[in-house]
Amino acid sequence: MSKRKIKIRSGKEEVWMEVTEEEYRKYYRPWWQEKKREQRNRAAMEEKGYTEESYEEWKENDMRTELFAESMEELMEKKALLYVLEEALSGLMPEERDLAEKVFGEEMQVSEFARLKGESRTTVSSRKQRVLEKLRRFFSDKGFQIRK
């Protein structure tokens, strides 16, 4: 599977991330669409006799450009957070990761997870607390504010 790199910016932070070809295309698709729309708009305005300067003025006042920039920043921030979450989960043992994904991610009840694994609810509940503490420590070490 081919990998591509994208640069994620959030505030003053910049991170290069390796992504799959599909993620790369999904990430850049809104940008490509906006550029194509811009080319069509420019061509249509030039056909009607508008100058390059009038087009640039129109573009600067166009709210869609501003909304597009905000949505891309939100997407980049979410991608960066998912990368950190994946890093946190990779530090867990396989059975801890399974518990975290099911109970925290999929919001499966502890009792249901215990029944699925053939263990007691209290055992799974204790393990859940230990996993939660490991994740809290990880995020705290990374500088994230943790709410209890």
Side-chain angles (χ1 to χ4, degrees), residues 41-95:
N41 288 342
R42 184 181 305 237
M45 290 183 82
E46 286 175 0
E47 278 179 21
K48 293 181 181 176
Y50 291 99
T51 65
E52 181 71 23
E53 292 78 26
S54 61
Y55 174 77
E56 291 302 323
E57 183 179 326
W58 171 81
K59 184 178 146 202
E60 285 176 21
N61 295 326
D62 187 9
M63 290 301 292
R64 287 177 302 191
T65 304
E66 187 176 320
L67 293 173
F68 172 74
E70 289 175 22
S71 66
M72 285 301 291
E73 187 161 321
E74 287 173 5
L75 178 65
M76 291 184 294
E77 285 178 13
K78 286 178 185 175
K79 187 77 174 175
L81 288 173
L82 285 173
Y83 177 77
V84 173
L85 179 59
E86 182 63 34
E87 187 181 348
L89 291 173
S90 71
L92 298 175
M93 294 177 15
E95 59 273 6

Side-chain angles (χ1 to χ4, degrees), residues 23-132:
E23 290 170 323
Y24 178 84
R25 290 177 184 276
K26 192 174 186 179
Y27 177 79
Y28 278 110
R29 185 168 290 121
W31 183 79
W32 292 330
Q33 289 171 336
E34 183 65 23
K35 287 296 175 192
K36 194 66 171 171
R37 188 177 303 115
E38 189 177 302
Q39 287 173 348
R40 286 191 303 267
N41 288 342
R42 184 181 305 237
M45 290 183 82
E46 286 175 0
E47 278 179 21
K48 293 181 181 176
Y50 291 99
T51 65
E52 181 71 23
E53 292 78 26
S54 61
Y55 174 77
E56 291 302 323
E57 183 179 326
W58 171 81
K59 184 178 146 202
E60 285 176 21
N61 295 326
D62 187 9
M63 290 301 292
R64 287 177 302 191
T65 304
E66 187 176 320
L67 293 173
F68 172 74
E70 289 175 22
S71 66
M72 285 301 291
E73 187 161 321
E74 287 173 5
L75 178 65
M76 291 184 294
E77 285 178 13
K78 286 178 185 175
K79 187 77 174 175
L81 288 173
L82 285 173
Y83 177 77
V84 173
L85 179 59
E86 182 63 34
E87 187 181 348
L89 291 173
S90 71
L92 298 175
M93 294 177 15
E95 59 273 6
E96 292 173 329
R97 183 181 179 134
D98 186 37
L99 184 144
E101 288 173 348
K102 298 282 193 236
V103 174
F104 302 136
E106 297 175 20
E107 298 181 359
M108 180 183 281
Q109 295 292 318
V110 170
S111 56
E112 185 181 344
F113 185 80
R115 191 172 32 33
L116 184 72
K117 295 295 182 178
E119 299 173 341
S120 75
R121 189 195 63 74
T122 54
T123 300
V124 172
S125 185
S126 296
R127 194 170 330 128
K128 173 189 164 192
Q129 293 307 314
R130 286 192 301 273
V131 169
L132 189 56

Side-chain angles (χ1 to χ4, degrees), residues 7-15 72-74 76-77 80:
K7 187 185 332 183
I8 306 284
R9 282 191 201 117
S10 179
K12 294 181 181 177
E13 295 291 318
E14 277 188 9
V15 177
M72 285 301 291
E73 187 161 321
E74 287 173 5
M76 291 184 294
E77 285 178 13

